[in-house]
Amino acid sequence: MNVPKLNGLIAATCTPLDEHGDIQVDAIVPYVDFLLDCGVCGLYVCGSTGEGMSLSRVERQTFADRFVRAVNGRVPVIIQVGHNSLPEARKLAAHAQDIGADAISATCPSYFKTESVSDLVAWMAALATSARDLPFYYYHIPSLTGSTLNVVDVMREGGDRIPSLVGLKYTDTKLHEFQQCLEIDEGRFDVVWGCDEMLLGALATGAHAAIGSTYNIAAPLYDRMIEALRRNDFVVARQLQSRSIAMIEILNRYPFHPALKAVLEMNGLDMGGCRLPLGALSATDAGQLECDLRTMGYFRWALPESSDTRA
């Protein structure tokens, strides 16, 4: 399948929920507009950041449909359709194609583990047949799926057996393995980086696109880092990556997913908490998080209207 490769920052979207823990669909349009105003170049829906594995299939389909409609063709929308039930995953994939998504992506099964590369490729192939017209990106995130299979081997064999397999969402920290994936068949696959704290290293290794959680709340920071790298200003690029790392370290003092949503709330979006077992931040923790972010200057440089463009 010959399709354009992804480019730039792609936000791994959150799931807006109401006070009952149900999907809050009315929050999606302002959320999408906020992300696009911040400069993101695409959306990755129902992934780990979006609590996809905590949502029912019907909820995921509703959510995917609303995001595609809200974006209205302005940037690519990738729907994560991985599921421990292959029939459910295939329904999610078919639905993504029906609603006009630009691509699908899927984690591997995470309860009953795939024991061999061939088994995983067979599972991916069965899934991909339900959305033959959509580019398919395998989602490699071993910290959550527990997969120990060699992802380079997965992509090589998958490329031979799955016509729609065009790329990989690589969410791990092994830059050497990421480089190997980039170099398969002289750059055959669109390999997209997935670790925000190491984006600078991935760019130096050859990344052209990245999917991440903190692009929801600090895309302008990362864009400035990318621009510094383009003009060979490595000092500023490193300073900006360090700022990103400090921000993420603050988020990680709290449960990460609820903290990320709390920061979006601070930026004027009605996101709610997370579905259990993730939950929501207490009012005390949310207040302390805001204080921590103010102390590091987050609200001066995180949004596009910020006048502070220095490192």
Side-chain angles (χ1 to χ4, degrees), residues 1-62:
M1 182 176 285
N2 186 18
V3 295
K5 292 185 176 182
L6 298 170
N7 190 55
L9 302 175
I10 298 165
T13 58
C14 297
T15 300
L17 299 177
D18 64 19
E19 65 272 19
H20 305 295
D22 296 323
I23 286 177
Q24 189 175 202
V25 294
D26 291 343
I28 292 174
V29 169
Y31 178 33
V32 166
D33 289 342
F34 170 82
L35 293 175
L36 297 189
D37 287 345
C38 286
V40 301
C41 299
L43 304 183
Y44 188 88
V45 176
C46 287
S48 306
T49 306
E51 305 172 69
M53 298 310 181
S54 296
L55 304 174
S56 71
R57 173 175 57 82
V58 172
E59 288 173 325
R60 289 170 69 172
Q61 289 173 330
T62 300

Side-chain angles (χ1 to χ4, degrees), residues 21 34 38 64 67 126 142 158 189 206 221 230 235 241-242 262 279 284 299 305:
F34 170 82
C38 286
F67 262 98
F189 292 114
L221 168 69
R230 284 176 179 159
V235 172
Q241 181 71 88
S242 292
T284 299
F299 296 99
E305 61 266 24

Side-chain angles (χ1 to χ4, degrees), residues 107-123:
T107 56
C108 62
S110 57
Y111 188 88
F112 295 114
K113 306 293 190 293
T114 47
E115 298 294 332
S116 70
V117 169
S118 293
D119 286 346
L120 175 54
V121 170
W123 184 91

Side-chain angles (χ1 to χ4, degrees), residues 50-179:
E51 305 172 69
M53 298 310 181
S54 296
L55 304 174
S56 71
R57 173 175 57 82
V58 172
E59 288 173 325
R60 289 170 69 172
Q61 289 173 330
T62 300
F63 193 43
D65 178 66
R66 292 302 183 105
F67 262 98
V68 168
R69 284 199 276 166
V71 169
N72 194 27
R74 289 177 287 177
V75 296
V77 179
I78 305 155
I79 308 297
Q80 200 283 124
V81 299
H83 201 291
N84 279 323
S85 165
L86 180 57
E88 293 292 277
R90 295 186 68 176
K91 290 174 184 176
L92 288 166
H95 177 263
Q97 180 168 283
D98 289 344
I99 63 175
D102 296 280
I104 57 170
S105 178
T107 56
C108 62
S110 57
Y111 188 88
F112 295 114
K113 306 293 190 293
T114 47
E115 298 294 332
S116 70
V117 169
S118 293
D119 286 346
L120 175 54
V121 170
W123 184 91
M124 291 163 56
L127 168 59
T129 58
S130 295
R132 296 179 187 274
D133 296 334
L134 288 186
F136 174 46
Y137 288 78
Y138 174 52
Y139 181 7
H140 176 64
I141 183 165
S143 63
L144 291 180
T145 63
S147 175
T148 59
L149 299 178
N150 185 302
V151 68
V152 178
D153 293 340
V154 170
M155 295 305 293
R156 287 189 187 279
E157 186 167 331
D160 291 337
R161 294 172 54 185
I162 306 170
S164 61
L165 180 63
V166 301
L168 171 68
K169 181 183 186 293
Y170 184 91
T171 305
D172 204 352
T173 57
K174 302 181 182 72
L175 279 172
H176 65 283
E177 186 176 69
F178 175 71
Q179 182 172 344

Side-chain angles (χ1 to χ4, degrees), residues 235-281:
V235 172
V236 168
R238 287 193 293 267
Q239 289 173 342
L240 292 167
Q241 181 71 88
S242 292
R243 182 177 286 182
S244 152
I245 293 168
M247 175 187 68
I248 293 168
E249 286 179 343
I250 288 175
L251 293 173
N252 281 330
R253 294 174 191 170
Y254 309 87
F256 179 85
H257 288 72
L260 182 67
K261 282 190 167 181
V263 179
L264 286 168
E265 292 266 0
M266 295 170 201
N267 284 310
L269 297 165
D270 186 10
M271 301 301 294
C274 295
R275 184 163 289 179
L276 292 172
L278 295 177
L281 292 192

